[in-house]
């Protein structure tokens, strides 16, 4: 009989999916298929325009900022935009990221605004890119199954750098998919439904930005992912028609579409994401995190886990354990 997953299994699976997908996808090609397949955790090419110089297993700003949010939660207990912003700044200073190409355009603009003295919510008023989405999956674990609280938490995580309705809607979609997975007894379809609820609720927050409906884009992406076509053609359709690039509304839909393509399997979700093309580290980080929360930490090869812990000098199991204890405090009270 298959062992029932514990909350820790799901939390650790999500943490691993985030970090492993990010590190795996960092070596991915930015152009679409066809291209030589990426089938293992390897060093990005030296001439990669963004990730050249990273070692095999080293993750990017996606996971650096995801763990910074987690540091904020572990220190203060509750999602709080000001605390999260401080945690971002600590990570930037500690790792010397201020001038790094790893930091995306909306985040960089918000950081510059902070330094000019702009208020926190104002600094992120033009943030429309996928920075809010790439780092939000772990936020979705905070309140398993409670989509209302999860949307509010996703909003807090986005405000420092991406305080627009489209960025918050996109982040809330991913957070709610993870929240539903963390609650247990979920199917991939359940995650998609939760994501659409989160997207529609999240659109009520932030500064207005001209952009399409996230929930409708997710449903369109799922239609493409489940079409009666060869897998590679479905990947091409997602790349061409949904997009796997910088807009938050593209990335939320594309990442969830890859979870569907993989039938929820975490490793397959990462492999497919890394090989479709575009912003592959972000697609793979999100898809890996969502699927990891669904199927747990034992889904991933131990060699990948060891490589990522070693390359980043981190203990992801310890992060997961401490986060699980924090989540459990609310569940038992």
């Amino acid at each position: 009989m298959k062992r029932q997953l514990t909350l820790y299994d799901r939390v650790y699976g999500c943490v691993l999916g985030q970090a492993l997908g990010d590190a795996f996808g960092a070596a991915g090609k930015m152009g679409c298929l066809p291209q030589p397949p990426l089938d293992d955790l390897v060093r990005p090419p030296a001439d990669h325009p963004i990730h050249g110089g990273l070692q095999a297993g080293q993750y990017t700003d996606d996971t650096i900022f995801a763990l910074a949010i987690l540091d904020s939660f572990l220190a203060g207990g509750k999602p709080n935009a000001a605390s999260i912003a401080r945690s971002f700044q600590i990570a930037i200073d500690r790792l010397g990221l201020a001038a790094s190409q790893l930091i995306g355009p909306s985040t960089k603009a918000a950081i510059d605004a902070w330094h000019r003295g702009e208020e926190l919510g104002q600094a992120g008023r033009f943030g429309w890119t996928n920075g809010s989405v790439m780092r939000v999956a772990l936020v979705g674990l905070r309140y398993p199954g409670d989509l209302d609280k999860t949307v509010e938490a996703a909003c807090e995580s986005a405000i420092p750098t991406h305080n627009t309705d489209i960025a918050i809607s996109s982040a809330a979609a991913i957070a709610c998919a993870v929240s539903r997975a963390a609650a247990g007894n979920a199917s991939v379809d359940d995650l998609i439904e939760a994501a659409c609820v989160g997207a529609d609720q999240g659109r009520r927050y932030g500064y207005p930005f001209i952009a399409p409906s996230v929930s409708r884009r997710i449903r369109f992406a799922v239609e493409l992912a489940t079409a009666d076509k060869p897998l590679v053609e479905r990947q091409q359709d997602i790349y061409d028609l949904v997009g796997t690039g910088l807009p938050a509304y593209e990335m939320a839909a594309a990442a969830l579409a890859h979870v569907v393509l993989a039938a929820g399997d975490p490793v397959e979700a990462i492999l497919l994401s890394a090989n479709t093309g575009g912003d592959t580290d972000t697609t793979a980080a999100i898809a890996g995190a969502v699927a990891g929360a669904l199927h747990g930490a034992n889904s991933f090869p131990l060699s990948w886990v060891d490589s990522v812990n070693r390359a980043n000098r981190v203990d992801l199991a310890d992060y997961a354990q401490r986060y699980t204890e924090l989540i459990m405090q609310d569940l038992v009270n």
Side-chain angles (χ1 to χ4, degrees), residues 143-164:
Y143 303 107
D146 189 331
L147 300 190
D148 291 336
K149 284 188 175 181
T150 298
V151 170
E152 293 172 2
C155 180
E156 291 292 320
S157 77
I159 283 173
T161 57
H162 293 73
N163 192 17
T164 61

Side-chain angles (χ1 to χ4, degrees), residues 223-261:
E223 287 179 10
L224 297 177
T226 56
D228 186 16
K229 291 183 176 182
L231 177 60
V232 69
E233 292 184 21
R234 286 178 277 157
Q235 287 177 272
Q236 183 77 53
D237 284 347
I238 292 167
Y239 182 90
D240 288 343
L241 302 176
V242 177
T244 57
L246 279 181
Y249 54 82
E250 285 188 8
M251 185 51 63
L256 290 170
H258 281 83
V259 175
V260 174
L261 281 177

Side-chain angles (χ1 to χ4, degrees), residues 204-225:
R204 302 196 304 255
Y205 298 88
Y207 287 86
F209 192 89
I210 298 172
S213 164
V214 176
S215 62
R216 294 186 70 179
R217 202 172 189 87
I218 290 169
R219 294 193 189 282
F220 174 56
V222 170
E223 287 179 10
L224 297 177

Side-chain angles (χ1 to χ4, degrees), residues 24 38 47 51 70 88 138 151 172 206 224 247 262 285 289 310 320:
F24 198 103
L38 183 66
D47 61 353
H51 301 141
L70 188 46
F88 287 166
L138 306 189
V151 170
L224 297 177
R310 185 170 57 252

